[in-house]
Amino acid sequence: MKNKIDKIKDLALKEISKARNLADLEKLRVKYLGRKSELTNVLRGVKNLSKNERKEVGEMANKLREEMDENIKHQVVNIKRRESGDVKEKEKIDVTYPGRKISKGHLHPLTQVRYEIEEIFKSMGFLTVDGREVEDEFHNFDALNMPKNHPARDMQDTFWLKNGCVPRTQTSSVQIRFMKENKPPLRIVSIGRVYRNENSDATHDFNFNQIECLMVDESGKITVAHFKSVVSEFMKGLFGKETKTRLRPSYFPFVEPGFEFDASCPYCKGRGCRICKGTGWIELGGAGMVNQKIFTSVGFSEDKYEGFAFGFGVERMAMIKYGIDDTRLFYGGDLRFLEQF
Ligand code: FA5
């Protein structure tokens, strides 16, 4: 009996001292002091012992009961103290800890270029105007001297809508809308999305942005020299002085004479590469002196006014400015690309 009590004592006191929380401690209390515990069994059997043994074993068992009870109470205090210490540690505020950096977003590179372009034109006295992204056939083609079956329509393979409208293929439609509402003198610039049914490659996409510029005044007041000076001022403002530009004769039904405008390729510095298709130049857009037919289509008398217009691709300008070799990167949504701007 005495051996058994000693074994219970060793095991119980060891387990009680190792208990890590109050729930474990309660389980040990039931195990060693409960009605079904070994010690209670020992006490129940005391009555069957001899008188001397009864006294001795009874005293030992009661002493152990008190000792275990004491140890459990002591351990409750320890656990509570430690738990409240843990909470304090967890909730401690270190006012000297460096703040967490909040990552800030920024404007898309095309939006940055757009704002920059608008600022340059604003400084030259141009008004920024908005156009419509979905146009009717009249404003997108007919009023721009591109009637049905005109071969120039083929160059702008178009997404036609069922109601006969088009997601605009060029920002030149803004010229028509603005001149229908406003009389010259006028200087406007308009930037926005256009859509063409094209296969994508490094310099072409089916959705891109154009900037349209229009300057009109009485006949004799605006010449090609004004166009050249406005464009070269714009190019210097956007790309810096080192970029070379050139004009080539070209045809657009809404200008006469018409030009195409190129900037020197920033990758090969004019030597010829994959991006510029070996030519050393990147085509930025079309331009020319406004065809008198456009003035009559908006209700102005023929030969009363003269002016120039140009339309450039914004993605191509952003490619040159930032040294980007594929226009599709602008629309890929890849943060590794976008975070560089
Ligand atoms: C036009 O769209 C004429 N409206 C420009 C114009 C305006 C001429 C005013 C005369 C007077 P074009 O189709 O060439 O022209 O397009 C102009 C520019 O848009 C191109 O030079 C190029 O920079 C850009 N561009 C054309 N197609 C794409 C494309 N698929 N992806 C990206 N940029 C394009």
Side-chain angles (χ1 to χ4, degrees), residues 60-97:
M60 259 180 93
N62 276 327
K63 210 169 146 210
L64 177 58
R65 178 181 267 283
E66 276 166 26
E67 199 175 346
M68 286 196 294
D69 200 44
E70 271 304 300
N71 276 20
I72 288 174
K73 280 183 189 152
H74 187 70
Q75 191 65 348
V76 167
V77 174
N78 279 346
I79 289 172
K80 282 190 175 165
R81 195 176 289 154
R82 201 184 53 237
E83 281 182 353
S84 77
D86 284 352
V87 171
K88 266 191 212 150
E89 189 56 40
K90 269 188 217 143
E91 294 185 354
K92 200 164 83 179
I93 296 172
D94 180 356
V95 291
T96 64
Y97 198 76

Side-chain angles (χ1 to χ4, degrees), residues 312-339:
F312 291 177
V314 176
E315 283 75 2
R316 303 246 176 117
M317 290 193 277
M319 285 171 76
I320 293 173
K321 186 171 173 64
Y322 296 127
I324 294 160
D325 65 359
D326 197 323
T327 189
R328 290 164 293 193
L329 287 167
F330 289 120
Y331 297 103
D334 188 338
L335 287 180
R336 288 169 305 177
F337 168 74
L338 295 172
E339 278 168 355

Side-chain angles (χ1 to χ4, degrees), residues 246-266:
R246 73 172 184 187
L247 276 184
R248 288 178 286 120
S250 186
Y251 173 74
F252 295 94
F254 33 95
V255 287
E256 180 58 40
F259 322 109
E260 227 147 353
F261 196 88
D262 303 333
S264 59
C265 178

Side-chain angles (χ1 to χ4, degrees), residues 170 172 196 198 204-205 208 210 283-286 311 313 316:
Q170 51 186 345
S172 297
R196 293 185 193 175
E198 298 222 29
H204 293 82
D205 220 336
F208 58 100
Q210 282 190 339
E283 175 200 314
L284 283 186
R316 303 246 176 117

Side-chain angles (χ1 to χ4, degrees), residues 111-279:
T111 310
Q112 292 182 30
V113 170
R114 177 193 177 129
Y115 287 170
E116 213 174 309
I117 293 170
E118 285 176 351
E119 273 310 308
I120 296 170
F121 278 99
K122 206 159 93 183
S123 74
M124 290 192 275
F126 283 76
L127 179 72
T128 304
V129 300
D130 270 338
R132 298 184 183 188
E133 264 188 50
V134 176
E135 270 297 1
D136 53 43
E137 193 172 354
F138 174 78
H139 290 90
N140 196 84
F141 291 123
D142 296 334
L144 287 161
N145 195 25
M146 296 167 91
K148 256 192 187 57
N149 303 321
H150 193 293
R153 281 202 187 190
D154 291 347
M155 294 193 303
Q156 300 184 5
D157 205 349
T158 310
F159 296 114
W160 288 94
L161 304 182
K162 282 191 179 136
N163 61 4
C165 289
V166 289
R168 66 177 170 191
T169 61
Q170 51 186 345
T171 43
S172 297
S173 52
V174 176
Q175 294 183 27
I176 306 299
R177 290 213 175 264
F178 194 80
M179 285 195 286
K180 272 171 47 180
E181 303 287 327
N182 301 275
K183 287 234 149 23
L186 49 93
R187 275 186 242 189
I188 58 161
V189 67
S190 183
I191 303 183
R193 279 176 195 272
V194 300
Y195 305 84
R196 293 185 193 175
N197 183 12
E198 298 222 29
N199 287 331
S200 300
D201 64 23
T203 50
H204 293 82
D205 220 336
F206 59 87
N207 150 37
F208 58 100
N209 286 270
Q210 282 190 339
I211 164 176
E212 191 80 13
C213 177
L214 176 71
M215 183 169 181
V216 180
D217 207 330
E218 286 168 10
S219 280
K221 285 195 174 168
I222 309 279
T223 67
V224 175
H226 291 97
F227 161 70
K228 284 185 78 177
S229 116
V230 167
V231 165
S232 84
E233 204 56 34
F234 167 47
M235 291 289 141
K236 276 188 211 154
L238 195 61
F239 299 134
K241 292 196 176 100
E242 68 284 0
T243 308
K244 294 196 192 90
T245 53
R246 73 172 184 187
L247 276 184
R248 288 178 286 120
S250 186
Y251 173 74
F252 295 94
F254 33 95
V255 287
E256 180 58 40
F259 322 109
E260 227 147 353
F261 196 88
D262 303 333
S264 59
C265 178
Y267 307 99
C268 59
K269 308 276 178 261
R271 284 189 298 276
C273 66
R274 181 178 68 89
I275 311 299
C276 61
K277 301 195 174 79
T279 62

